[in-house]
Amino acid sequence: MKVNIYYGGRGLIEDPTLYVINKIEEVLKELRVDVTRYNLFELKNTITTLPQTLKEADGIVLAASVEWRGIGGLMQEFLDACWLYGDKNRISTLYMSPVVVATTYGEKEALLDLKSAWELLGGLPCSGMSAYVEDSVDFEMNREYSEIIEKKAENIYRTISQKKKALPSSNYAIKQNLIKDSMNLTPQESEQLSKYVSDDIYVKKQKEDIEQLTNMFKDMLTQQGNKVDFEFVNDFNNKFAPQEDVEVTYAFYIEDKDRTLVLDINNAHLDCKYEKCENADVFAKLNYEVLNNIVRGRSTFQRAFMTGEMTAKGNFNTLRLLDQLFPFEE
């Protein structure tokens, strides 16, 4: 029989969780169990590949230290990796015993959190243990506590070796719904993906590729935007017929494009661009098709105004000048 122990604490000497899992390991080895411990704090960069170590195990122990709140980031990261990259069929045959030792409040909540997480993964529950430790030295020197831990370790051995059944839990029903929405990968694909994720060089290259693609699409959108910004501008510049003593500003609001084309005329000089304008001499409102027909010579400003295709406010004498300043219909 093989049991893996996954320790999610920081590896501090005074961490009482280390004492508990050492006792569990000692008892299991006396019972001729092959025990392998994985210290997550030493394997930060390869946590995503650790679900592959579940393959040869008959049961596991998840040991967490509660220093201020919850099971800690490393243990959560390992559970996330099991969900994303673990072989769910293999996990469904694995017993898990949660071990939580707290130096502050919350050991029972953390124990329940580990148990619930494993059941959501589809794994089998196994009796665990939790404790609050105020003084690690007193805790380790207490013979009664030591005996309790040993008895718990023996129960873990019996549950795994005898493959004891457990009553059904609602977590299993929830798990089925969650798995339906997760990626449907084979165990081989999950293993390969977990290796890629743990490969810093590969991840860095992927980030660089994504950044490069993002910049490329930004450039494409910018170019597309520039094209819109110059639409009709060249038409007005090419057809501009300067008139003496004419200083006027026209603003054309293109309704279906929600953009305003501004013509600022100062005698022989024309400044044509898209921008907001509040001080135009003539404000006109029309749609894209009407303006396009005008610049293509199929209509005139006067005709569009008379038919109601274009509305305008301002100086109407100045409005009449438009067809003289821009003779599109020739």
Side-chain angles (χ1 to χ4, degrees), residues 137-165:
V137 176
D138 290 343
F139 179 73
E140 293 174 18
M141 296 299 293
N142 191 305
R143 180 59 190 168
E144 292 181 349
Y145 293 159
S146 178
E147 290 177 356
I148 292 172
I149 296 170
E150 290 173 1
K151 292 293 183 183
K152 290 284 188 181
E154 292 172 3
N155 287 335
I156 294 172
Y157 171 79
R158 292 190 188 96
T159 301
I160 297 173
S161 61
Q162 297 174 14
K163 299 188 182 301
K164 291 185 176 182
K165 296 292 183 180

Side-chain angles (χ1 to χ4, degrees), residues 177-196:
N177 292 328
L178 289 174
I179 286 179
K180 287 177 186 176
D181 297 329
S182 64
M183 290 187 298
N184 187 19
L185 301 176
T186 65
Q188 293 76 18
E189 289 172 334
S190 295
E191 182 175 358
Q192 190 64 47
L193 183 59
S194 68
K195 289 179 180 178
Y196 284 144

Side-chain angles (χ1 to χ4, degrees), residues 63-112:
S65 301
V66 177
E67 295 182 359
W68 78 283
R69 185 177 182 275
I71 60 177
L74 294 174
M75 182 58 72
Q76 185 62 58
E77 190 174 346
F78 172 69
L79 290 170
D80 288 344
C82 289
W83 174 254
L84 293 171
Y85 314 115
D87 183 347
K88 301 299 192 303
N89 290 329
R90 184 70 189 92
I91 290 175
S92 67
T93 64
L94 279 178
Y95 288 88
M96 187 280 293
S97 175
V99 173
V100 178
V101 182
T103 55
T104 184
Y105 172 81
E107 73 281 359
K108 294 188 182 299
E109 289 77 6
L111 186 78
L112 181 60

Side-chain angles (χ1 to χ4, degrees), residues 282-285 305 310-314 316 319:
V282 174
F283 285 95
K285 185 184 295 185
F305 178 71
M310 180 181 76
T311 59
K313 62 179 182 179
F316 287 98
L319 177 62

Side-chain angles (χ1 to χ4, degrees), residues 151-287:
K151 292 293 183 183
K152 290 284 188 181
E154 292 172 3
N155 287 335
I156 294 172
Y157 171 79
R158 292 190 188 96
T159 301
I160 297 173
S161 61
Q162 297 174 14
K163 299 188 182 301
K164 291 185 176 182
K165 296 292 183 180
L167 292 173
S169 166
S170 61
N171 283 337
Y172 290 111
I174 296 173
K175 178 218 40 170
Q176 295 300 325
N177 292 328
L178 289 174
I179 286 179
K180 287 177 186 176
D181 297 329
S182 64
M183 290 187 298
N184 187 19
L185 301 176
T186 65
Q188 293 76 18
E189 289 172 334
S190 295
E191 182 175 358
Q192 190 64 47
L193 183 59
S194 68
K195 289 179 180 178
Y196 284 144
V197 173
S198 65
D199 186 341
D200 290 339
I201 297 176
Y202 174 81
V203 172
K204 183 179 180 181
K205 181 66 169 62
Q206 290 296 301
K207 288 181 178 179
E208 291 174 352
D209 290 344
I210 291 172
E211 184 177 359
Q212 185 176 358
L213 285 171
T214 302
N215 291 333
M216 183 182 73
F217 283 117
K218 281 182 179 178
D219 291 339
M220 290 173 63
L221 290 173
T222 300
Q223 291 172 8
Q224 190 177 33
N226 289 338
K227 183 178 178 181
V228 173
D229 285 344
F230 283 104
E231 192 170 18
F232 298 130
V233 170
N234 291 334
D235 296 304
F236 278 95
N237 283 328
N238 292 335
K239 282 293 184 178
F240 180 48
Q243 305 286 322
E244 291 184 4
D245 300 324
V246 174
E247 294 184 12
V248 62
T249 300
Y250 297 95
F252 297 96
Y253 177 64
I254 307 171
E255 295 177 284
D256 44 350
K257 298 294 182 180
D258 191 26
R259 297 174 68 80
T260 302
L261 179 64
V262 178
L263 309 178
D264 190 10
I265 301 170
N266 186 357
N267 294 317
H269 177 73
L270 169 64
D271 185 12
C272 181
K273 58 188 175 182
Y274 286 95
E275 66 176 8
K276 291 183 178 180
C277 181
E278 298 178 356
N279 300 313
D281 296 290
V282 174
F283 285 95
K285 185 184 295 185
L286 70 178
N287 61 34

